[in-house]
Amino acid sequence: MELLDIDRSIVVIIDLQGKLMEMAYRHRLVIDATKRLMQLAEVFQVPVVLTEQYPQGLGATVAEVREIYDGLTVPKRYVDKTSFGCCGDGGFTTALRELRPDIDHTERQIVIAGIEAHVCVLQTVVALIDRGEQVHLCWECISGRGEEYRRHALDRMQQAGAQLTNHESVCFEWARDKNHPGFKAMNQILRQGQLTG
């Protein structure tokens, strides 16, 4: 296990879409924590990928999440997919490569948020680990239809080699030191109020 490094990290937001989000366990927590994760990625200049699973049928990304994504100035990519796992879509692999062209895929650290834990997130994570990439799961940014689906999917992904974390641990690892120039902005984001769900 390694600490996250801002020069190797990519945040991946998987399928936080209307009809799916309405059914997700603790969906408010997932939305709020994911918004913070993207804001923190902006502070530390970490690139972001946003995916949507068949948006014509499942609807667009939740508006408040999409608004944060659209406002990002960091390098970012959008992937419209039909494969459940993101790695099944060539556009996703291309996006990761374009966002971190200077490092080998085995050095990339993928920070994951999204739904559904037991379908699209799980298939993405297992494929990424299979390819030799490091995967860090923000547990409060991941959900599915019911607590048990979520919990057992997180367990399975950990068994496959993913690291379980949260958005606060992620940003403190990116900062490493209170003297990091992004530390003050990071603290302001984390003080925006208690997350509930």
Side-chain angles (χ1 to χ4, degrees):
M1 183 176 74
E2 293 184 82
L3 294 177
L4 287 162
D5 181 338
I6 55 173
D7 296 321
R8 296 165 57 198
S9 297
I10 301 174
V11 171
V12 174
I13 314 295
I14 302 172
D15 307 347
L16 295 184
Q17 295 163 249
K19 291 180 182 178
L20 291 173
M21 280 307 298
E22 291 166 15
M23 297 183 285
Y25 171 71
R26 297 182 76 185
H27 66 276
R28 187 72 253 165
L29 173 64
V30 174
I31 291 169
D32 290 343
T34 301
K35 287 165 54 181
R36 278 194 191 180
L37 179 62
M38 286 191 290
Q39 291 170 325
L40 293 162
E42 178 79 5
V43 168
F44 291 100
Q45 294 296 288
V46 172
V48 176
V49 177
L50 178 83
T51 75
E52 289 182 339
Q53 172 68 26
Y54 183 54
Q56 304 91 324
L58 296 174
T61 298
V62 173
E64 56 194 292
V65 171
R66 185 63 195 236
E67 182 181 357
I68 300 285
Y69 172 80
D70 287 342
L72 294 175
T73 63
V74 295
K76 61 186 178 184
R77 296 290 183 276
Y78 165 77
V79 179
D80 177 344
K81 64 188 179 66
T82 58
S83 60
F84 299 122
C86 296
C87 297
D89 188 294
F92 179 73
T93 300
T94 300
L96 296 182
R97 190 168 52 245
E98 289 175 350
L99 291 171
R100 288 291 183 204
D102 50 329
I103 59 174
D104 184 75
H105 72 279
T106 59
E107 294 298 309
R108 286 194 298 242
Q109 297 177 319
I110 311 299
V111 179
I112 300 278
I115 62 171
E116 286 194 82
H118 63 297
V119 185
C120 297
V121 175
L122 175 70
Q123 290 187 30
T124 301
V125 167
V126 170
L128 286 169
I129 291 169
D130 234 24
R131 297 190 326 196
E133 310 208 33
Q134 292 183 31
V135 179
H136 298 254
L137 306 170
C138 288
W139 66 263
E140 76 284 29
C141 301
I142 295 172
S143 193
R145 285 167 291 152
E147 190 273 336
E148 288 185 330
Y149 280 113
R150 173 184 169 275
R151 176 164 44 89
H152 292 304
L154 287 171
D155 288 345
R156 187 174 170 198
M157 289 184 281
Q158 271 193 284
Q159 289 166 10
Q163 301 298 320
L164 199 60
T165 189
N166 60 77
H167 74 283
E168 291 198 14
S169 291
V170 166
C171 67
F172 276 95
E173 288 173 38
W174 284 341
R176 299 288 177 98
D177 190 295
K178 76 169 249 358
N179 292 319
H180 188 285
F183 184 77
K184 185 175 179 181
M186 177 188 95
N187 262 348
Q188 288 173 342
I189 291 167
L190 295 180
R191 289 176 180 166
Q192 286 173 359
Q194 235 5 57
L195 295 177
T196 60

